[in-house]
Amino acid sequence: MGTVSRGAPSRGGSLAAERRQAYLLVAPAVAVLAAVALYPIGAALWLSLHRHIVVFHERSFLGFANYRFLLADARFWSALGHTAYFTVVAVSAELALGLPLALILHEARRGRGLLRALVLIPWAIPTVVAAKLWAWLLNPSYGLINRLLGGADINWLGHPVLALHTAIVVDAWKTTPFVAILLLAGLQGIPEDIYRAARVDGASSFRIFRSITLPLLRPALALALLFRTLDALRVFDAIYVLTEGGPANTTETLSLYAYKTLMRAGDFGYGATLSVVTFLCVALAAAALVRGLGRGWEEAR
Amino acid sequence: MLALLSAACQRGHSPGERARLVFKYQPLWGDPAPLREHLARFAAENPDLDLRVETLPNSTDLIHQFFLTALEGGDDSFDVLVADVTWIPEFARAGWIADLSDGFPPDGLRAAFLPGPTDAVVLGGRTFAVPWYVDVGLLYVRTDLTPRAPRTYDELRSFARAAMERHPSLAGYLWQGRQYEGLSCNVYEAIWGHGGQAPEVGRRILLDTAAARTGLLYLHDLIASGISPPLVTSAAEEETRRVFQDGRAVFMRNWPYAWAELQAAGSPVRGRVGIAPLPSLSGQPGPGTLGGWQLAVNAHAPPERRRAAARLIAHLTSPEANLLMALAYGRNPARRATYADARLRAQAPMIADLAPLVEHARPRPVTPYYQLFTDLLQGEFSAAISGIRTPEQALARAQRQVDRLIGWAP
Amino acid sequence: MRSRGRGLGYAVAVVALLTFFLGPFVWQVLTSLWPDDQLGRALPRSLTVGAYASVLGGRPFVRWIANSLAVAAATTALCLLIGTAAGFALAKLEFRGRRLLLGAALAISMFPPIATVSPLYLALRAVGLRDQLAGLVPPYATFALPMTLWILSSFFRQLPDELYQAARVDGCTPLLAFRKVLLPLAAPGLFTTAILVFIFSWNEFLYALTFLSSPEKRTVPVALSLLAGEHKEPWPEIAAASVVATLPLVALTILFQRRIVSGLTAGAVKG
């Protein structure tokens, strides 16, 4: 080291200097976020107040009429229901699978690096490719899954109820590694001495896990829960490739509905409204999660 | 960052440079050499142009999305673009594709090209695109399992059942029932086969007709009675093609592309497949849906480039080009005369046999509203064939939504 | 280290999980070697590399991978640089607007990307970055930054304050203390974030499709979407292409993973 710090002596001076340094450090992030995100989001908000059908060059200000229509739109409420159900089930499954996976990776002795890299493969494959991979596995006539089930004829992606659950399994397959790697990083942050001390005290593995590992893992769990929920609420690629929202819109999620409205119909106005409302739903979920997990954040140690 | 920006901002031509002409299309499956040579000939004949070719992904949705975003944003970085047959009214209404009536007068088009594609590109007496190649829905038949191709729906059902009884593991009739545009094609074919004109496009888009209800019911019953396996509700073209190619089905509705696959070396059904028009209620050949792609000119391009683009389109849709596309890529010609060409008959007889089928291919509703309501219809069609709603309910709902969409009121 | 005496149950769990997560990919590799006309069978009778020849022959795969690499590397570097600085400030320093920044960042990442495509397209055209690889980096960074900020700030907050204070008392500025003391300890978090941002940027499809048009600027996900014919879906070729496209990521992940291990041993010297 050997550098004499500036503004270190007095308490008040160091606080001001600290704040200045903080702003300096944070400025680039704020700049990038503002520069790129503000315009598109602002544009979307503005568009949502208009009737803007691109092909007809129709553009008229409607105020909140789009939102009023949305509240009465049965297809929106269906999409919301599907999205909520998808999120709850998928994220639960991912956390339930991700934790054991992270524990296994943490404990692995031989071939650690390779194992961890391999497990990351589902996450690394582009979503579209992963969905196509699963579409082939789930093919009613040729798919491995039906063959393993003894030549069963199950129409995984064409049955109204089964399709959504199949999509959930595919999503869980793809994103559990993401959860696992977050939890793994959290596990690696727990110092060894704590375990040693507990074992010296004669605690069983299960007790150690419950009383030490789990609480110390809370920040990582909270992060995983937060980001997975946000992503699941906006799921698009996998469902588009697997079912395109079918059959009969039973797997249509909010993002898919917004996509079809924006890019197929060219209805930029209502599409923007759907996007804004999707965003609001996600924001509400995030706020609820952050508030509920708020204790988990501060309680790092 | 700033250096990057400034370097990127340096665009534009210096005087004396060749004008750039950009052709955007989706890649054709097969050897790229023949098309490249054909384009090279155009480049050689037009030394003042720098021809560039850019490919798009092979998904209709993605291409539509790309063009929607780019053309709405006033993009002029490409000149000739491909357009699906249902997009022309939409793009023309939006003013994104140029009027080509000077280079391609409507009467000339009508005389040389097939009626279906011509109707899709000539709007209000003006030409907005030129057909590049066409597609038509047709019936594939296992000639070793049935005496002949069925002409009526009753024959389809009885032939299929007879074959299924002799070979219990067979599926009867495969078609595309997944919720996407392919389903709409199948449903329209069923409606037309039952004598309907739906959807009728006038002041109102009429969906809820007797023929439409019967057609949807027919499709639903195919699955319910077991003639079509449940997998059709998640099947697109390839899924049905593979099952049929494995010899596990008696009939299949698909596009002409499947023929080459079915007759390829190593195909289990090679030599045992025939094609026929779709059946209908009356026994007359049922119309197949018109598919295929057209070439249009980007209206945002400056006039000189638009003229050059029109020349490129003429080159790509010439009789010689039609023949090349058919022989090298299996793309069905849009020009009527090409089907009678002796070289086509010699080297690709199946395409030559398609002449009567493509002559009667019927386009989907030619309206700028098509993209707006096709999505609604797919959902309702899917609900009807899955049994979630009855055809009456599905069509009534669809009618309500479409009426509201185009602002029709009684 | 914890004892591994759980025996059978543990082994079963390991096998089950590995089968579930790796099985489909193994099947994908098998499919890529499967002759197309034998796809109807339960298992291939013979294997062929024809799909790889078709996919790699005559296609500039190396160029595509290079493009994806360039964009992903730039995005990751940018995010780490900005994110580390901001994450540290968010975790350890007192200033107003902490919550606001985290919340706003989260809000931005929550916005459905499809609604931003059209406005961003217009914006990029306006600054001349359309059809430039560099034009992808700002949008990617923007959508990856929130995750970066949250993960890094959480990691930094977990690091013991005492070390940091000790360094400050010894006469270091906050920045120096950060660099010399906390950064090495935060290595696991940094590399985790780096991997996640890299993979996100590598696999991003929507913006890459819309903002780039020249063939030589294609990135891998868009290039993969070009493989199918208009109706035909060549399964072995698609499988082969996806295997080739995933291998660089796997290789890079193995590299990163080793760094995480070294970060772990560095972090074990604590307290």
Side-chain angles (χ1 to χ4, degrees):
Chain A
M1 301 176 209
T3 341
V4 179
S5 74
R6 294 163 266 127
S10 83
R11 183 91 182 114
S14 89
L15 203 61
E18 201 171 287
R19 201 177 295 147
R20 248 179 292 128
Q21 277 210 316
Y23 286 138
L24 211 65
L25 289 172
V26 163
V30 174
V32 169
L33 287 173
V36 180
L38 237 50
Y39 171 55
I41 294 183
L45 284 166
W46 179 240
L47 265 177
S48 71
L49 301 173
H50 293 72
R51 176 177 164 92
H52 181 40
I53 309 229
V54 160
V55 167
F56 296 101
H57 298 295
E58 257 185 67
R59 200 179 175 127
S60 48
F61 183 75
L62 290 181
F64 287 101
N66 274 341
Y67 291 93
R68 276 197 292 274
F69 176 76
L70 180 139
L71 287 174
D73 185 4
R75 192 170 168 190
F76 162 73
W77 290 107
S78 300
L80 183 61
H82 301 145
T83 312
Y85 183 77
F86 179 91
T87 303
V88 168
V89 178
V91 176
S92 311
E94 284 148 24
L95 285 177
L97 278 177
L99 190 52
L101 189 59
L103 287 169
I104 289 177
L105 290 177
H106 187 56
E107 306 255 338
R109 270 295 166 70
R110 274 147 358 140
R112 223 180 206 160
L114 184 65
L115 196 62
R116 291 169 185 183
L118 286 178
V119 160
L120 210 58
I121 286 180
W123 177 247
I125 299 180
T127 314
V128 173
V129 172
K132 279 203 195 291
L133 196 166
W134 274 95
W136 182 241
L137 285 173
L138 294 163
N139 190 307
S141 317
Y142 299 97
L144 181 62
I145 309 282
N146 272 355
R147 281 204 219 267
L148 288 176
L149 292 175
D153 221 357
I154 307 180
N155 193 7
W156 297 101
L157 295 170
H159 186 280
V161 173
L162 211 49
L164 190 59
H165 293 88
T166 311
I168 289 177
V169 170
V170 176
D171 189 69
W173 178 83
K174 178 136 201 339
T175 56
T176 302
F178 168 77
V179 174
I181 198 180
L182 271 184
L183 297 181
L184 179 65
L187 281 172
Q188 289 173 343
I190 302 177
E192 266 310 299
D193 350 342
I194 299 188
Y195 288 128
R196 219 171 289 142
R199 236 168 287 126
V200 161
D201 283 350
S204 73
S205 295
F206 183 65
R207 255 222 70 218
I208 292 180
F209 178 73
R210 236 192 57 194
S211 321
I212 299 180
T213 314
L214 221 43
L216 287 179
L217 212 47
R218 270 189 83 167
L221 274 169
L223 264 180
L225 180 62
L226 180 65
F227 280 106
R228 272 312 307 151
T229 306
L230 297 188
D231 277 346
L233 284 169
R234 291 174 305 142
V235 64
F236 173 76
D237 285 338
I239 304 224
Y240 177 77
V241 172
L242 288 172
T243 61
E244 259 175 273
N249 288 336
T250 50
T251 56
E252 187 172 72
T253 58
L254 287 172
S255 288
L256 200 58
Y257 186 19
Y259 172 82
K260 288 183 178 176
T261 311
L262 278 168
M263 289 304 170
R264 278 201 194 157
D267 188 351
F268 277 20
Y270 192 56
T273 312
L274 284 168
S275 304
V276 170
V277 171
T278 306
F279 163 72
L280 287 175
C281 293
V282 177
L284 247 106
L289 274 174
V290 170
R291 190 134 311 173
L293 301 169
R295 291 170 292 115
W297 241 274
E298 309 319 322
E299 216 175 84
R301 280 152 297 130
Chain B
M1 188 73 163
L2 219 51
L4 274 172
L5 270 174
S6 60
C9 283
Q10 283 160 14
R11 303 176 102 235
H13 306 286
S14 49
E17 222 179 66
R18 295 184 297 170
R20 230 176 75 145
L21 195 67
V22 179
F23 171 40
K24 259 192 142 43
Y25 75 115
Q26 51 167 346
L28 310 165
W29 183 256
D31 183 8
L35 184 65
R36 218 181 289 143
E37 280 157 23
H38 189 69
L39 288 169
R41 266 177 294 217
F42 179 81
E45 287 164 19
N46 292 272
D48 56 324
L49 293 174
D50 173 21
L51 180 64
R52 296 189 99 230
V53 165
E54 290 172 5
T55 47
L56 295 161
N58 246 316
S59 147
T60 311
D61 251 351
L62 288 178
I63 301 179
H64 186 259
Q65 170 192 320
F66 174 82
F67 282 141
L68 196 79
T69 315
L71 293 170
E72 161 71 357
D75 194 350
D76 66 343
S77 68
F78 54 90
D79 307 289
V80 179
L81 53 123
V82 284
D84 194 11
V85 69
T86 52
W87 300 348
I88 307 297
E90 182 194 350
F91 286 8
R93 183 72 159 71
W96 295 337
I97 51 182
D99 187 342
L100 300 173
S101 308
D102 290 336
F104 303 91
D107 297 325
L109 272 186
R110 216 168 277 286
F113 289 85
L114 294 162
T118 312
D119 284 335
V121 302
V122 173
L123 308 165
R126 298 187 305 164
T127 311
F128 282 100
V130 183
W132 197 22
Y133 55 88
V134 304
D135 244 343
V136 62
L138 43 86
L139 189 70
Y140 287 84
V141 179
R142 281 286 298 279
T143 50
D144 57 334
L145 294 175
T146 58
R148 57 171 170 81
R151 283 186 218 116
T152 67
Y153 292 125
D154 283 331
E155 278 181 4
L156 176 74
R157 284 187 283 255
S158 60
F159 288 3
R161 249 191 222 107
M164 284 161 79
E165 264 158 39
R166 287 198 307 275
H167 312 267
S169 62
L170 273 185
Y173 176 39
L174 296 175
W175 46 282
Q176 295 81 42
R178 184 184 153 116
Q179 184 182 323
Y180 76 129
E181 187 63 13
L183 171 61
S184 299
C185 294
N186 275 268
V187 171
Y188 291 144
E189 282 159 4
I191 297 178
W192 295 329
H194 281 87
Q197 295 292 319
E200 304 175 20
V201 179
R203 297 266 335 281
R204 184 189 195 195
I205 298 176
L206 192 60
L207 300 160
D208 196 2
T209 61
R213 273 177 248 135
T214 326
L216 268 180
L217 190 64
Y218 155 73
L219 286 176
H220 169 262
D221 286 345
L222 280 176
I223 304 178
S225 64
I227 296 185
S228 294
L231 72 88
V232 298
T233 59
S234 62
E237 284 87 3
E238 279 289 271
E239 282 81 9
T240 52
R241 196 257 307 169
R242 283 193 189 272
V243 176
F244 189 78
Q245 188 164 332
D246 253 10
R248 291 169 33 191
V250 190
F251 299 115
M252 171 177 73
R253 180 265 176 210
N254 214 323
W255 306 98
Y257 89 98
W259 178 259
E261 302 296 323
L262 295 170
Q263 295 291 74
S267 159
V269 295
R270 182 177 150 97
R272 296 187 280 161
V273 180
I275 58 170
L278 294 163
S280 72
L281 200 61
S282 59
Q284 292 300 309
T289 311
L290 178 74
W293 291 77
Q294 343 295 316
L295 294 170
V297 172
N298 186 350
H300 299 302
E304 335 78 60
R305 291 223 314 257
R306 289 210 297 268
R307 281 192 290 273
R311 290 209 303 276
L312 178 61
I313 292 184
H315 184 80
L316 284 168
T317 56
S318 65
E320 176 193 295
N322 265 231
L323 189 65
L324 182 144
M325 296 283 290
L327 295 177
Y329 301 107
R331 295 297 199 261
N332 309 308
R335 282 178 180 272
R336 204 183 271 117
T338 315
Y339 288 92
D341 193 311
R343 285 167 292 178
L344 187 69
R345 173 136 295 283
Q347 295 175 51
M350 180 263 189
I351 297 184
D353 285 338
L354 284 178
L357 288 159
V358 293
E359 189 77 33
H360 294 106
R362 210 177 282 194
R364 282 156 280 176
V366 179
T367 160
Y369 291 101
Y370 189 73
Q371 294 300 318
L372 276 168
F373 69 66
T374 190
D375 185 44
L376 298 172
L377 294 187
Q378 287 166 22
E380 296 303 331
F381 290 162
S382 178
I385 65 168
S386 314
I388 295 178
R389 286 190 270 279
T390 68
E392 288 77 23
Q393 289 170 331
L395 285 170
R397 274 172 67 126
Q399 186 71 66
R400 267 202 313 273
Q401 293 177 72
V402 171
D403 283 344
R404 192 198 62 78
L405 201 65
I406 64 171
W408 188 90
Chain C
M1 272 303 181
R2 303 170 64 181
S3 68
R4 299 242 251 89
R6 269 171 256 101
L8 188 63
Y10 182 77
V12 166
V14 172
V15 168
L17 280 173
L18 286 184
T19 311
F20 179 61
F21 286 109
L22 294 180
F25 186 66
V26 170
W27 194 253
Q28 182 84 325
V29 174
L30 187 62
T31 309
S32 69
L33 300 168
W34 203 309
D36 192 294
D37 52 1
Q38 291 178 25
L39 275 173
R41 312 169 57 83
L43 280 175
R45 245 193 317 213
S46 57
L47 296 178
T48 167
V49 290
Y52 286 96
S54 157
V55 158
L56 295 172
R59 280 185 229 266
F61 232 94
V62 181
R63 167 79 62 80
W64 295 336
I65 292 186
N67 289 340
S68 277
L69 200 65
V71 175
T75 309
T76 309
L78 190 65
C79 275
L80 277 184
L81 213 64
I82 299 181
T84 312
F88 169 70
L90 285 165
K92 292 296 187 196
L93 299 180
E94 288 295 325
F95 66 100
R96 267 203 301 246
R98 269 173 73 178
R99 284 257 183 82
L100 183 62
L101 177 58
L102 280 175
L106 203 62
I108 285 173
S109 74
M110 289 190 290
F111 207 81
I114 188 67
T116 63
V117 168
S118 194
L120 269 177
Y121 181 83
L122 296 173
L124 282 176
R125 255 188 85 222
V127 296
L129 277 179
R130 198 197 69 84
D131 203 28
Q132 304 290 334
L133 284 173
L136 285 181
V137 177
Y140 285 4
T142 305
F143 278 94
L145 255 183
M147 177 171 68
T148 311
L149 288 178
W150 277 76
I151 294 182
L152 287 181
S153 65
S154 168
F155 261 89
F156 285 132
R157 196 174 298 117
Q158 281 183 271
L159 299 177
D161 268 339
E162 305 88 57
L163 276 167
Y164 171 70
Q165 296 304 339
R168 290 292 311 274
V169 160
D170 275 352
C172 291
T173 60
L175 271 172
L176 207 56
F178 168 72
R179 243 184 64 220
K180 296 281 185 177
V181 178
L182 293 182
L183 201 49
L185 294 178
L190 283 176
F191 286 110
T192 305
T193 312
I195 296 180
L196 294 174
V197 173
F198 191 89
I199 292 181
F200 157 75
S201 162
W202 183 279
N203 287 340
E204 203 285 331
F205 179 78
L206 191 61
Y207 290 167
L209 169 74
T210 316
F211 302 154
L212 298 174
S213 52
S214 306
E216 62 270 9
K217 301 215 180 78
R218 288 251 149 72
T219 60
V220 171
V222 178
L224 287 180
S225 74
L226 294 171
L227 281 174
E230 184 189 345
H231 292 297
K232 184 171 159 67
E233 259 181 349
W235 278 110
E237 271 88 351
I238 295 177
S242 62
V243 168
V244 174
T246 316
L247 283 181
L249 281 180
V250 174
L252 276 156
T253 313
I254 294 183
L255 250 95
F256 277 129
Q257 288 285 1
R258 293 229 178 90
R259 291 309 197 90
I260 286 190
V261 174
S262 70
L264 165 68
T265 50
V269 182
K270 259 198 280 184

